[in-house]
Amino acid sequence: MLRRLLQHDPTLRPTPHQLRAELCAFLRPPAPRYSIGVATTVGLNPERPLNEDAYAYSHQDATFHEAAGVRLVACVADGIGGLEAGDEASGAATRSFVESTSEQAEERFWQANAAVHTALGSRPGGCTFTGVVINGTTVQLVHVGDTRAYRVTPRGCEQLTPDHSLVELLIRQGALTAEHAAHHPQRNAILRSLGGVTERTPEYCFTSEFKLAPGECLVLMSDGVWGGIPAQHLWRIMTEAQDAIAMADALIAAALSSGGADNATALIVHCG
């Protein structure tokens, strides 16, 4: 650039407009700033003294020659009730997902699936699971079961994941309404789980990729949270809180206020 600026022939020098455009190309775009809040509870059921939910996250800022970046990995898992060692399944899944070095969320998912089988051995078990891998503003989402991910914006709240559950299947088939599903005796029956298959199975897990904008939040939660908070109340609870930690605390408080018999976990990723 300096050589071009010092050319004797003025026709070979860049114009001020060209010079400004070339200098702007060297500027590093600002890295997004993320904050994380998480809260969990065993719930109010005295017959369930063990919290079989698990969560994990890793947040690392990185600066490269060409850009400033960020890598964030986060997940929530819920051990399947009624089976052995639900807490071991969810713990193994979340640790494996976050500790993996893979760039791909789906690859991390299948590594976590193998980790669950290793942890349980021959015992039956598994967990529902929702995880994200964030590079810059790009989010890779992977999910199975009835944990959920929501995107919360200043305009509203959007559920990002489907429920792999019996009642959701009945709703899609027109055999059950959403209102009746909330009280269905088999509302906790799960059709897919992490650890539910031994080999990589096409289209077994739900995946998506999208951008997260400043001012938006991702919420990963177990069914102990969303099962006790009506969808129309979720956005209000989130927007009234001051930061990611307060958001997570408020969601757990709301779940307990609604009766909160189940384990409940909420993990917030806020893009500033």
Side-chain angles (χ1 to χ4, degrees):
M1 184 181 290
L2 287 173
R3 188 180 301 113
R4 291 173 59 209
L5 286 170
L6 297 174
Q7 290 287 343
H8 290 292
D9 185 350
T11 63
L12 299 177
R13 300 173 196 159
T15 66
H17 180 75
Q18 291 171 329
L19 178 61
R20 182 180 184 279
E22 293 185 24
L23 288 172
C24 287
F26 281 98
L27 294 175
R28 293 173 177 168
R33 293 184 177 274
Y34 290 100
S35 57
I36 298 175
V38 63
T40 188
T41 178
V42 69
L44 301 175
N45 186 349
E47 297 180 1
R48 300 189 66 178
L50 182 65
N51 192 342
E52 296 189 352
D53 284 0
Y55 68 86
Y57 65 86
S58 173
H59 183 195
Q60 178 181 7
D61 291 316
T63 301
F64 307 99
H65 170 70
E66 68 276 9
V70 63
R71 158 67 68 77
L72 193 154
V73 183
C75 56
V76 166
D78 180 0
I80 296 176
L83 297 180
E84 292 185 56
D87 59 321
E88 292 184 43
S90 59
T94 53
R95 283 192 300 272
S96 172
F97 189 81
V98 168
E99 292 174 354
S100 169
T101 59
S102 175
E103 297 286 332
Q104 302 301 315
E106 187 171 2
E107 180 62 30
R108 288 174 179 253
F109 174 90
W110 288 110
Q111 292 174 359
N113 189 72
V116 169
H117 283 288
T118 299
L120 296 182
S122 60
R123 294 173 295 172
C127 61
T128 62
F129 183 90
T130 303
V132 292
V133 175
I134 303 176
N135 283 298
T137 59
T138 300
V139 181
Q140 295 179 56
L141 171 66
V142 64
H143 159 82
V144 70
D146 67 351
T147 45
R148 287 183 179 179
Y150 289 84
R151 173 166 32 193
V152 179
T153 75
R155 299 171 300 281
C157 181
E158 173 191 9
Q159 183 178 335
L160 301 174
T161 51
D163 293 338
H164 297 131
S165 63
L166 176 61
V167 293
E168 182 63 25
L169 177 62
L170 293 175
I171 291 172
R172 290 199 302 268
Q173 293 176 342
L176 191 68
T177 65
E179 292 74 17
H180 288 125
H183 307 286
H184 195 278
Q186 291 182 289
R187 62 186 177 275
N188 295 323
I190 301 301
L191 302 181
R192 300 183 192 181
S193 66
L194 197 64
V197 291
T198 57
E199 298 180 355
R200 187 185 295 250
T201 304
E203 300 182 359
Y204 184 77
C205 58
F206 171 83
T207 61
S208 69
E209 185 172 308
F210 54 92
K211 297 285 188 180
L212 196 65
E216 296 183 345
C217 290
L218 282 179
V219 189
L220 312 182
M221 63 176 72
S222 63
D223 65 327
V225 180
W226 64 258
I229 303 175
Q232 63 268 27
H233 294 169
L234 182 63
W235 183 79
R236 177 183 56 79
I237 292 170
M238 297 284 293
T239 53
E240 288 178 353
Q242 298 299 313
D243 54 38
I245 295 174
M247 291 176 191
D249 288 340
L251 288 175
I252 296 303
L256 291 172
S257 295
S258 70
D262 199 1
N263 305 156
T265 301
L267 190 154
I268 315 295
V269 177
H270 180 263
C271 183

